Amino acid sequence: MKFVDEAKIFVESGPGGNGCISFRREKYVPRGGPDGGNGGDGGSVYLIGSKDLQTLYDLKIRPHYRAGRGKHGKGKKMNGRTGTDVTIPVPLGIIVLHEDEPLGEILKHGERLILARGGKGGRGNACFVSPTNQAPRHAEQGMSGEQMTLKIVLKLISNIGIVGLPNAGKSTLLKAMTNARPRIDSYPFTTLTPNLGVLRDNISNVVIADMPGIIEGAHEGKGIGMQFLRHIERTKLLVLLIDISSPKPRDQYTTLLNEFKRYKRALLEKPRIVVFNKIDLIDEVPHFKLREKMFYISALKGTGIDQLVKHLKNENQAKAG
Ligand SMILES: Nc1nc2c(ncn2[C@@H]2O[C@H](COP(=O)(O)OP(=O)(O)OP(=O)(O)O)[C@@H](O)[C@H]2O)c(=O)[nH]1
Ligand SMILES: [Mg+2]
C-alpha cells in the first residue's frame, strides 16, 4: 500500500429535517389538536482512530464525505429519522487542520473527533402549544449542515526513529531488528517514505521507523529526508546510524546534528544514541569520543544487534514508565 502522509478532504454534515405542521383528524373528534412531529437531526462526520491503518491513502483516493440529512417530521407526532453519520477511519497520529489552524488530533485507537456537526432538526407545531396558543400554525425549519475542506496530516507515532545519511544501512538495520521487510539497495535514496517495524517485547511493542536518508542541506529541501523529519518529532529516541566504512564517519554525525538543528532545535533535545554500522568492512574499529552512548554493529551480518535491541527495549520501557 502506498504511503501517503497528507490528504485534503471535503466533509459535509447533513441538514436537519423540518418540523411538521399538522392537526389531528379523526372520526368523531371535531377539532383535533396540533400533531406535527419534529424533524430529525442531520448526520455528522467523524474521524475514528484505527491502529490497523498506516497511511492516509484511502483519504487521498476518496476525498468526499457527506452525512445523511435528517428526515422531516410528519403528522401524528411522528419525528423524522436522524441522518446517518459518516465515520472515517484514520491511522493514529493524525492532525486535522482547518485553514491551517489545528482543529484536533487523534492519537489512540477508537478515539473520535467530530469534523462537521449535523444540523438540528426543526420542531413540529405540536411543540409550540401553549395556554395562549392552542393551535400553533408554525414549525421550525431544520438547520443546515456544515461544509468544510480540511487537511489531514499524519505524524507517525513511532517510539524510535533511525536516521542517517543515504546508504548508511538504516533499512538493513530495521530488517535485522524487526519483522519489517523494507527495500534495501546499494544506491542512495532507496527508501523514499518511512518504513515501520515492530520490535516485540513481553511488555509492549516498540515501533521503529526507518527514515529516508538525510543529506547536507536537507533542512532547506535538498534530498528527501527532511520532509519526513516531522515523523520523528514524536519519537522518544533517535538512533543516529553512521557508516563506519565511509571516508569520514565523524562528518556524518556532524551533518546529521546540523540538519536537526536547522530544521528544529527541539530535535536536538531528544534522547539519542549513535550506532556505527558496517564494522564487517573495516579491519580495525576506530573508537570515537562522543557524548552519546555508542554501539558498533554490522546490520548485514547481525553483529552487535542483540545488544542494541536489548538497549532499545530497556530505553523504551524506561521512557514509558
Ligand atoms: N557490508 C555491509 N553492508 C551493509 C551493512 N548494512 C547495510 N549494508 C549495505 O549498504 C547498502 C545500503 O543499505 P540500506 O539498508 O538500503 O541503506 P539505507 O540507509 O536504508 O539507505 P537509503 O534508504 O538509500 O537512505 C546495501 O547495499 C546494504 O546491503 C553492513 O552492516 N555491512
Ligand atoms: Mg533505506
Side-chain angles (χ1 to χ4, degrees):
M1 176 143 306
K2 262 183 87 176
F3 183 86
V4 174
D5 65 353
E6 220 175 273
K8 203 183 249 182
I9 60 169
F10 179 76
V11 297
E12 190 176 352
S13 57
N18 297 333
C20 170
I21 302 171
S22 160
F23 292 91
R24 206 165 62 192
R25 285 162 195 268
E26 272 175 61
K27 261 185 184 170
Y28 315 119
V29 184
R31 296 170 77 204
D35 69 353
N38 304 329
D41 292 342
S44 302
V45 182
Y46 299 89
L47 292 183
I48 187 163
S50 163
K51 62 176 168 42
D52 303 321
L53 291 176
Q54 301 277 353
T55 126
L56 296 175
Y57 181 71
D58 295 348
L59 303 198
K60 192 102 186 170
I61 55 170
R62 198 196 143 195
H64 282 84
Y65 296 89
R66 179 186 283 163
R69 55 165 52 243
K71 295 282 183 306
H72 300 317
K74 288 190 186 153
K76 297 187 184 160
K77 291 199 178 161
M78 285 197 290
N79 294 333
R81 202 187 285 260
T82 307
T84 33
D85 290 335
V86 169
T87 305
I88 313 168
V90 286
L92 309 185
I94 58 102
I95 296 175
V96 183
L97 300 164
H98 181 234
E99 285 165 4
D100 289 330
E101 290 292 315
L103 201 80
E105 57 181 13
I106 287 188
L107 300 176
K108 296 199 190 94
H109 184 71
E111 193 176 334
R112 273 156 74 93
L113 178 70
I114 190 161
L115 299 180
R117 202 176 291 279
K120 275 212 87 52
R123 286 177 293 173
N125 70 336
C127 278
F128 296 100
V129 179
S130 69
T132 53
N133 187 357
Q134 298 284 332
R137 300 201 146 268
H138 76 280
E140 288 171 340
Q141 301 268 8
M143 308 271 267
S144 47
E146 300 177 305
Q147 304 181 340
M148 275 188 269
T149 303
L150 300 169
K151 197 157 114 184
I152 314 279
V153 175
L154 173 63
K155 294 193 181 192
L156 296 176
I157 307 179
S158 56
N159 309 103
I160 293 167
I162 307 175
V163 288
L165 271 66
N167 263 337
K170 300 176 293 298
S171 303
T172 311
L173 177 58
L174 185 77
K175 184 177 166 208
M177 295 196 296
T178 69
N179 53 346
R181 290 292 168 264
R183 254 188 64 199
I184 291 168
D185 219 318
S186 54
Y187 56 85
F189 300 116
T190 308
T191 305
L192 299 175
T193 55
N195 298 306
L196 293 184
V198 181
L199 200 61
R200 302 218 181 270
D201 191 280
N202 305 333
I203 302 168
S204 62
N205 289 336
V206 190
V207 181
I208 303 183
D210 154 35
M211 293 292 156
I214 292 169
I215 55 170
E216 197 180 327
H219 69 278
E220 48 193 25
K222 288 216 181 106
I224 46 167
M226 217 31 78
Q227 70 195 85
F228 295 105
L229 271 185
R230 68 167 179 237
H231 295 307
I232 60 172
E233 284 173 42
R234 283 183 176 163
T235 57
K236 294 180 198 153
L237 178 79
L238 292 181
V239 173
L240 272 54
L241 191 69
I242 290 170
D243 179 352
I244 204 168
S245 73
S246 68
K248 290 182 178 160
R250 222 203 138 98
D251 286 1
Q252 297 201 355
Y253 169 84
T254 320
T255 302
L256 288 175
L257 291 192
N258 249 329
E259 293 305 320
F260 288 171
K261 187 164 86 191
R262 300 227 167 117
Y263 173 75
K264 216 172 238 183
R265 249 175 188 284
L267 279 185
L268 284 183
E269 275 138 44
K270 234 173 234 312
R272 58 176 186 253
I273 60 170
V274 175
V275 176
F276 291 100
N277 188 29
K278 308 196 188 181
I279 55 166
D280 57 294
L281 291 182
I282 51 171
D283 297 330
E284 207 170 320
V285 178
H287 280 257
F288 298 91
K289 270 216 165 96
L290 299 175
R291 294 190 306 140
E292 296 85 354
K293 194 164 171 54
M294 289 177 282
F295 292 83
Y296 295 84
I297 65 160
S298 166
L300 191 66
K301 301 271 183 312
T303 323
I305 298 293
D306 288 350
Q307 231 183 334
L308 177 61
V309 165
K310 207 168 134 199
H311 178 78
L312 294 180
K313 283 183 176 174
N314 283 341
E315 280 295 298
N316 189 62
Q317 271 168 34
K319 298 281 179 324

